[in-house]
Amino acid sequence: MAAVRGGVGPLIRERRASARRSQLDLALDVGVSARHLSFVELGKARPSPELLILIANRLGVSAREQNDWLIAAGHAPRHAETPLDAASMASVRRSLQAFLDAHEPFPAVAIDRCWTVQLWNDASAWLGNGISAEARGVPTNIFRISLHPDGFARRTRNFDQWSAYLLRQLDLIVRRTRSAEAEALAAEIEEWPGIAPRETWSRWAPRADDPVMPWVLEHSGVELSMFTVMATLGTPVDVTLTEMTVELFLAADPMTQAIFAAR
């Protein structure tokens, strides 16, 4: 909120600097003079909503943050944020659920920007059988259920590798979204046993000799090996849908394929 009270100029300048773009380069890209852009960043000129949206799009700013920019500049937000369970979202929700169900017998979930599960299929519910509400979160959060010592952490056979990947994703979410929810979750997780120091979270890199890194999980006395595909909606307008991701779990070996098929 401090940045919002300070106006939109510092928000633009910070995003431009992180994108490593000069004032002149960005100004030419959006069709204004470098002088005018400088005045906007210094708070000496109030940008129109159209210019703000154009700058934001050129810098890859999310719909949620675009709303923050508009409010900071004294304009009304442009992007609605509708709960997924609202009546106006019914058709989208049904289609997403049908998509997840069609992925049976393999797990599939729809998650928000902090990887909290919004929709799921039966296979994902089966995967989480026996895990307490404390470990999974209410509603279930992927980072929490995967990294909590009483969650999937005690069942994950390659926890060092898998946790490093997840912690890298959580670190990116904290940095990109500046979400208080994500920061609070990260602060809690870093205190759990088996979690690497937070300063190392951003350093994870996949091994070049592996096509994908599997998640190797013990479940019901058998070992499952899976990798995931993550997809976003192609034409979202509402903030809720711009931040929605569908994660599909796939078998990484023939034995896992057979186990899921037998369900």
Side-chain angles (χ1 to χ4, degrees):
M1 292 302 294
V4 172
R5 287 196 296 270
V8 73
L11 303 179
I12 297 174
R13 183 168 60 250
E14 181 184 1
R15 278 297 184 182
R16 178 179 59 78
S18 66
R20 299 184 179 180
R21 299 192 64 176
S22 68
Q23 278 187 343
L24 178 59
D25 174 48
L26 181 59
L28 290 172
D29 197 13
V30 299
V32 299
S33 68
R35 179 183 177 85
H36 181 63
L37 181 58
S38 175
F39 277 14
V40 168
E41 290 189 358
L42 291 172
K44 296 180 178 181
R46 184 189 184 207
S48 68
E50 291 73 23
L51 178 58
L52 276 180
I53 295 296
L54 183 57
I55 292 172
N57 287 336
R58 292 293 192 270
L59 294 176
V61 173
S62 70
R64 180 182 295 276
E65 194 172 348
Q66 288 184 23
N67 278 348
D68 291 341
W69 282 21
L70 289 162
I71 293 170
H75 302 299
R78 290 285 183 92
H79 303 283
E81 183 177 3
T82 311
L84 191 61
D85 59 1
S88 59
M89 288 284 204
S91 62
V92 174
R93 191 171 61 251
R94 282 195 301 269
S95 295
L96 283 172
Q97 188 63 61
F99 182 56
L100 302 182
D101 292 342
H103 191 61
E104 293 282 358
F106 300 101
V109 294
I111 55 179
D112 65 14
R113 67 174 180 156
C114 293
W115 288 26
T116 296
V117 177
Q118 303 298 311
L119 299 169
W120 59 92
N121 66 0
D122 288 343
S124 10
W126 172 78
L127 208 60
N129 281 348
I131 294 180
S132 68
E134 179 187 358
R136 70 172 67 239
V138 181
T140 298
N141 180 274
I142 295 295
F143 294 118
R144 174 176 286 279
I145 195 173
S146 299
L147 298 169
H148 195 283
D150 294 325
F152 286 132
R154 59 190 173 89
R155 303 180 183 179
T156 300
R157 294 295 171 256
N158 60 337
F159 185 74
D160 287 347
Q161 290 176 294
W162 190 246
S163 64
Y165 157 72
L166 290 173
L167 293 170
R168 168 60 172 161
Q169 301 311 306
L170 179 55
D171 183 68
L172 286 172
I173 289 170
V174 170
R175 294 172 186 271
R176 290 173 179 172
T177 68
R178 301 174 175 83
S179 163
E181 178 188 352
E183 173 56 39
L185 182 61
E188 181 183 4
I189 287 174
E190 69 176 324
E191 301 298 325
W192 293 348
I195 300 299
R198 190 161 177 179
E199 61 268 20
T200 69
W201 291 6
S202 62
R203 300 175 192 168
W204 175 82
R207 288 170 43 179
D209 55 341
D210 292 333
V212 293
M213 186 184 71
W215 176 30
V216 184
L217 178 73
E218 188 278 324
H219 191 288
S220 303
V222 296
E223 191 172 277
L224 306 172
S225 181
M226 297 168 280
F227 65 95
T228 71
V229 172
M230 304 189 79
T232 56
L233 277 70
T235 55
V237 176
D238 191 280
V239 170
T240 297
L241 298 181
T242 66
E243 297 175 344
M244 185 76 59
T245 302
V246 173
E247 183 169 23
L248 307 176
F249 292 80
L250 301 169
D253 59 34
M255 181 177 294
T256 301
Q257 178 84 24
I259 291 168
F260 275 110
R263 288 191 59 246

